[in-house]
Amino acid sequence: MTEPHPVLSVRGLSVRFLMPGGRRIAAVTDAHFDVAAGECLALIGESGCGKSVLASALLGLLPANAQAAGQARLGDLDLLSADERTLARRVRGRLIGLVPQSPAAHLTPVRTVRSHLEETVAALTGVRGRAAVRAAALAAAERAAFPADHLDRHPHQLSGGLAQRAATALALVGDAPLVLADEPTTGLDRDLVNRTVDELRRHVDEPGRTGGTGRALLMITHDLAAAERIADRVAVMYAGRIVELTDADTFFGPTGPRHPYSHGLLQALPDRFFTPIPGMPPELGDLPGGCAFAPRCGQVSPACAAPPPTTGGLACHHPRPAASAPAPEDLRA
């Protein structure tokens, strides 16, 4: 039996920013990954590693001085080569539901949350009639734990957490095959974090309005507890590159991840050893020629002066010992 095509297939995605004087900043380099129907892939890494730039590239929201290369296929569409008309009318909201990193900036300041939801329901779902649209908007708010008595408030009247919940409700309305959640738990307490990610997981697992085997979720997050709660696989990004791609059970399990950076992220958690990774990430405009993590790595050797090979979902000269479980899918498969 042949494997179903992934909802999202990314191959060789790179993003460069062209700066004054001809300087280039390598924000994302040669990203390879798939997200299957019914799957949540958590993309993690320190701030500034390129996670949100990757998300912007998928949505065609890069600034004018950015150049994207590679391929990112969503069904029969290559997102990187699609024109703005296609992205605006076919992709955003309909094929990709976005939970943005800064939700208040994505809400129209003169519109209430209710009007945002009702307009989105009418545009994306085919629901007609004032009463039906109003009921669907209320149901969308309830899914994201947005309080009904705040629906008639404007964005500036919302806390950061409420704006986040409003953005989550809007992202789920369109029944998109891919939900891209960029830090969807920002500003939420732990109970609401759990409720929000559980709803995202439920949205992935349930069939869409047109049937099918589920949607896909790409969740960009610093919240490793949220990732552990709902992710099927974890992709770790460092200095613009995906350095490890593995099953979530392996990543969070007893043996843990194999890349020294991934291992360091887990050891820095308060419920583990609370030991920070020494040093700072490199500037994306001044990356070293070999392994970018080498200056912070306890396993560094002369071999690290060369770029590490990418094998079995792992880019490292000196990975931690492998567990007995099968190796994850190769990043370049």
Side-chain angles (χ1 to χ4, degrees), residues 6 20 22 26 44 54 58 67 77 91 99 103 108 129 132 138 141 159 209-210 213 244 266 276 293 297 316-317 319:
I44 67 172
L54 187 152
L58 297 177
Q67 292 182 341
L77 180 66
V91 174
V99 183
T108 304
L138 181 60
S159 66
R209 286 190 296 270
T210 58
T213 57
E244 185 164 12
L266 285 180
F293 187 61
C297 182
C316 184
H317 288 289

Side-chain angles (χ1 to χ4, degrees), residues 76-118:
D76 62 352
L77 180 66
D78 182 8
L79 299 171
L80 300 187
S81 61
D83 58 31
E84 176 57 28
R85 180 184 178 90
T86 300
L87 291 166
R89 296 195 174 191
R90 183 180 171 191
V91 174
R92 300 177 194 134
R94 290 175 171 83
L95 293 180
I96 301 179
L98 172 66
V99 183
Q101 186 175 23
S102 302
H106 286 71
L107 300 172
T108 304
V110 296
R111 305 281 298 280
T112 65
V113 175
R114 188 190 303 276
S115 67
H116 278 90
L117 284 169
E118 290 181 356

